[in-house]
Amino acid sequence: EKKRRLGRILMERGMSNGQSLWHSQSPKTPTKMLDRALSSRRPHSDADLSDSGESGTDESKTKRPHIYLLASNFLSRIGHQWWPFLILALLFLLLLFLISVAFHSHSFVCISRFDPAARIGFFGFDGLESDFGALGVPWCRSKHGKEVEWTSKDLLKGLEEFVPIYETRPIKNNMYGMGFDHSFGLWFMARWLKPDLMIESGAFKGHSTWVLRQAMPDTPIISLTPRHPEKYLRKGPAYVDGNCTYFAGKDFVDFGSVDWKTVLRKHGITDLNRVVVFFDDHQNELKRLKQALKAGFRHLIFEDNYDTGTGDHYSLRQICDQSYIRGGGHSCFKDSDEARMRSKRKKFWEKAVDTEELCGPGETWWGVRGEMRDDFNHTNTPISYNQHFQNSRYVESILDVYWELPPVAGPSLTHQSRYDPARSTPPIVADGKHRLFQRVGLGRLDKSVFNGYTQMVYLEISKPGS
C-alpha cells in the first residue's frame, strides 16, 4: 500500500510539471509541438543563465550596432526619394573645397627665396615651380648678412612707373639684348642708388644706355663697347646719348685696361661710392669683380648672371652654387631624384638642363660642365672643384650685399618659357595675380619682351679693411 501511494504522489508531481518521469528520462521520445513552441518563446531566468555559466545580460541587445548598419537602415527607411539630395550635398562640399584652394593659392607661389621646398607647381604639381629635387636657389653669402634697402613694395611701385617709360623705348625689338625684366631692374637700381657717374661695359645698340638715361636724366655716362652704337643706326633703330663718353670703335678700351684714376678725375669724381658699374659684356664675372675691386668701385650690376650649366661665361650664380650653401650643389648620379626632376623640367623650360648637359668628364658640374668660360665662350678653361670652392670663398670675403632681381611676373602671366622658375627667386607679381598684372600695365606689353630673364644681380663690395 505504501508503495502504491508513493507511486501516485510521484506521478501527480510529474504531471503537474507538464511531463512524465519516463519522458524526462527518455531522450529518444519526440517532444510535443506545443512544448517546443512554448520552450522557444520562454525567456531565460537569471537562474537559468547562472546555471549555464553566462552573465545576466545579453550583449547582442545592449551593444550599439555598427555605423554601417545604422547607415544601411537609414537609407532603407528613406528610400530612393532622397538620393538626389545626397549627391547634390556632396557636389556642394566639393565646390567649397575648390573655392578654398583657389582663394588661398597665393601662398603656394609667393614664398621665401630660402624655402624652395614649399613651392607648388603649375604644370601638374611640379612643372611651374618645385623643390627641384633637393635643391633650390643658391644665394651668395655676404660677410655681415646685409640686405638691400628697397622692398617688394618699392619694386611694385617702380614697376608701375616704369611700364609707360618702357613703351617709349626707341629700340622696340631688342633681339639679343635686354628684355623688359632686366631693363626694369637696371632702371630701378640706378634710380634708387642715384650715382654721380654711371659706367657700362657692353652697350650693343644702346638700349641699356637709354635705360640709364631714363633713370638719371642729368648724370654722365661712360660706355665701353667694341662697336659704336651709331653704326647700328644705318640698319635700324639704335640710341646714342649726348651726355655719354664712348670708348667704342677705334677708341675702344677693355674695362680692365682703362686708367680709371685719370678718367674719373676728368669727370670730377672723387667718391667712388657714388659710381655704379653695369656689366653686360659676357666676360668672366670673377675677372670683372677683381678688376672693379682693384679700381675701387663698390656698386656693381651684372646683367647675365647665368645659372650653373648654362651661359657663355663664368657667373656669380655659378660661383656661389656650392654644396655648403643652401640651395647649392648638384648630383651627377643618373638615377638620383635631381636627375629625374631635371629630365622632367627640361620638357617645360628652354634654359633647364638635364644631368647629361650639366655634368662633364669625371662628374664635374660647376660652371659649365666643369669649365670656367670667358670671352663670349671663346675660352673654356677646365677648373677643379677645389678652385671653384676657393672662388666662392673669395667672393664671400669681399661681399657686403648680393641681390638677384626677381622676374617681374610669374610665367603663367608672362607666358615665358625660357628660364626655369624653380631656379629663380619668386616674381614681383606672383602667378595668379592677373588683376595686379593688368593694373601695373604689364598686360599692355608684348609677351616676347619677358623671355630674356637671366638672374640679373646687384653687388655691393666691402670697404677696404672692413
Side-chain angles (χ1 to χ4, degrees):
E1 184 66 26
K2 289 181 180 180
K3 290 181 180 180
R4 287 196 297 270
R5 289 180 181 177
L6 179 59
R8 284 198 302 270
I9 293 172
L10 291 174
M11 290 182 65
E12 289 174 357
R13 289 181 179 179
M15 294 299 291
S16 66
N17 289 332
Q19 54 184 323
S20 65
L21 291 175
W22 181 82
H23 169 74
S24 63
Q25 295 174 358
S26 304
K28 295 181 181 180
T29 305
T31 307
K32 295 180 181 179
M33 183 65 71
L34 179 60
D35 291 339
R36 281 193 295 174
L38 292 174
S39 175
S40 64
R41 292 197 296 266
R42 181 173 59 89
H44 296 289
S45 64
D46 290 343
D48 295 332
L49 294 172
S50 62
D51 290 341
S52 64
E54 298 177 2
S55 63
T57 58
D58 187 353
E59 285 192 18
S60 65
K61 295 179 176 59
T62 59
K63 186 169 63 175
R64 296 183 64 182
H66 292 288
I67 185 68
Y68 67 86
L69 291 176
L70 292 175
S72 178
N73 292 336
F74 174 74
L75 291 175
S76 64
R77 286 197 301 270
I78 64 175
H80 297 288
Q81 58 182 329
W82 289 99
W83 69 265
F85 297 99
L86 293 176
I87 293 177
L88 289 175
L90 291 174
L91 291 175
F92 179 73
L93 291 175
L94 179 62
L95 180 62
L96 288 179
F97 172 75
L98 293 175
I99 292 174
S100 176
V101 170
F103 181 77
H104 295 287
S105 62
H106 66 279
S107 64
F108 293 159
V109 178
C110 188
I111 64 167
S112 168
R113 65 172 180 262
F114 297 115
D115 190 20
R119 299 178 182 179
I120 303 298
F122 182 75
F123 297 97
F125 274 90
D126 57 5
L128 182 63
E129 293 184 348
S130 87
D131 59 354
F132 210 81
L135 305 178
V137 180
W139 199 262
C140 291
R141 302 192 307 185
S142 59
K143 287 166 47 175
H144 309 295
K146 185 178 178 181
E147 299 275 346
V148 294
E149 296 179 354
W150 52 83
T151 66
S152 57
K153 290 183 178 180
D154 295 320
L155 288 169
L156 191 59
K157 183 179 179 182
L159 196 59
E160 191 171 6
E161 183 179 345
F162 180 69
V163 170
I165 296 175
Y166 184 76
E167 289 177 310
T168 67
R169 64 195 185 280
I171 307 171
K172 300 296 183 183
N173 183 14
N174 193 31
M175 186 176 293
Y176 308 115
M178 289 197 303
F180 179 82
D181 295 71
H182 291 187
S183 299
F184 165 70
L186 180 61
W187 172 86
F188 178 86
M189 287 184 277
R191 194 185 64 155
W192 187 279
L193 296 171
K194 293 181 171 54
D196 295 333
L197 176 68
M198 298 179 291
I199 301 171
E200 63 173 351
S201 179
F204 193 32
K205 296 180 182 180
H207 175 77
S208 58
T209 314
W210 177 84
V211 171
L212 291 171
R213 178 56 63 222
Q214 305 313 302
M216 302 295 293
D218 302 318
T219 300
I221 300 173
I222 297 176
S223 181
L224 299 90
T225 189
R227 188 178 185 183
H228 202 292
E230 66 183 6
K231 298 292 184 179
Y232 294 98
L233 284 171
R234 300 172 184 176
K235 297 182 179 181
Y239 177 79
V240 178
D241 191 85
N243 191 18
C244 177
T245 301
Y246 287 96
F247 290 86
K250 295 180 180 180
D251 299 324
F252 172 70
V253 182
D254 184 74
F255 178 85
S257 302
V258 176
D259 182 0
W260 286 111
K261 287 185 179 180
T262 301
V263 172
L264 295 176
R265 191 182 308 116
K266 288 182 179 179
H267 284 80
I269 302 298
T270 57
D271 185 2
L272 295 184
N273 293 330
R274 305 293 305 158
V275 179
V276 169
V277 184
F278 172 59
F279 293 102
D280 187 12
D281 52 15
H282 295 256
Q283 302 296 297
N284 181 342
E285 293 181 7
L286 179 63
K287 176 181 71 177
R288 288 303 194 212
L289 179 61
K290 291 179 178 179
Q291 292 171 348
L293 182 66
K294 182 180 178 181
F297 299 122
R298 297 190 58 226
H299 299 281
L300 314 178
I301 302 172
F302 289 91
E303 200 259 336
D304 291 301
N305 188 33
Y306 290 118
D307 195 13
T308 305
T310 68
D312 57 8
H313 63 268
Y314 196 44
S315 68
L316 271 297
R317 164 66 80 92
Q318 294 174 5
I319 292 171
C320 297
D321 197 348
Q322 300 283 345
S323 300
Y324 69 89
I325 292 178
R326 185 173 183 180
H330 299 283
S331 169
C332 289
F333 184 51
K334 293 184 179 180
D335 291 330
S336 65
D337 290 338
E338 180 184 351
R340 286 189 287 270
M341 181 63 74
R342 283 186 176 278
S343 178
K344 192 172 184 178
R345 299 187 72 80
K346 178 68 176 176
K347 301 174 183 177
F348 294 131
W349 312 106
E350 297 172 27
K351 289 290 185 180
V353 294
D354 58 25
T355 301
E356 291 185 0
E357 294 173 299
L358 175 73
C359 300
E363 297 188 344
T364 57
W365 53 259
W366 45 93
V368 178
R369 297 173 62 87
E371 296 176 343
M372 182 169 58
R373 303 196 176 188
D374 197 6
D375 301 320
F376 289 89
N377 236 355
H378 292 150
T379 59
N380 307 329
T381 305
I383 59 172
S384 66
Y385 181 74
N386 183 59
Q387 289 176 293
H388 177 63
F389 176 80
Q390 293 303 324
N391 293 339
S392 175
R393 302 299 291 183
Y394 169 76
V395 170
E396 289 180 354
S397 70
I398 63 172
L399 201 59
D400 266 358
V401 173
Y402 178 94
W403 181 78
E404 287 185 5
L405 172 75
V408 296
S412 68
L413 297 170
T414 60
H415 299 174
Q416 75 83 21
S417 59
R418 293 189 70 199
Y419 74 89
D420 188 339
R423 294 287 286 175
S424 69
T425 53
I428 300 172
V429 180
D431 278 295
K433 300 291 185 179
H434 183 74
R435 289 185 180 180
L436 181 60
F437 183 80
Q438 295 295 333
R439 182 173 67 80
V440 299
L442 294 173
R444 301 197 303 266
L445 303 176
D446 188 90
K447 296 298 186 292
S448 63
V449 303
F450 299 110
N451 228 18
Y453 176 80
T454 50
Q455 297 90 29
M456 173 185 277
V457 64
Y458 163 72
L459 302 181
E460 183 179 340
I461 306 303
S462 306
K463 294 180 180 179
S466 64

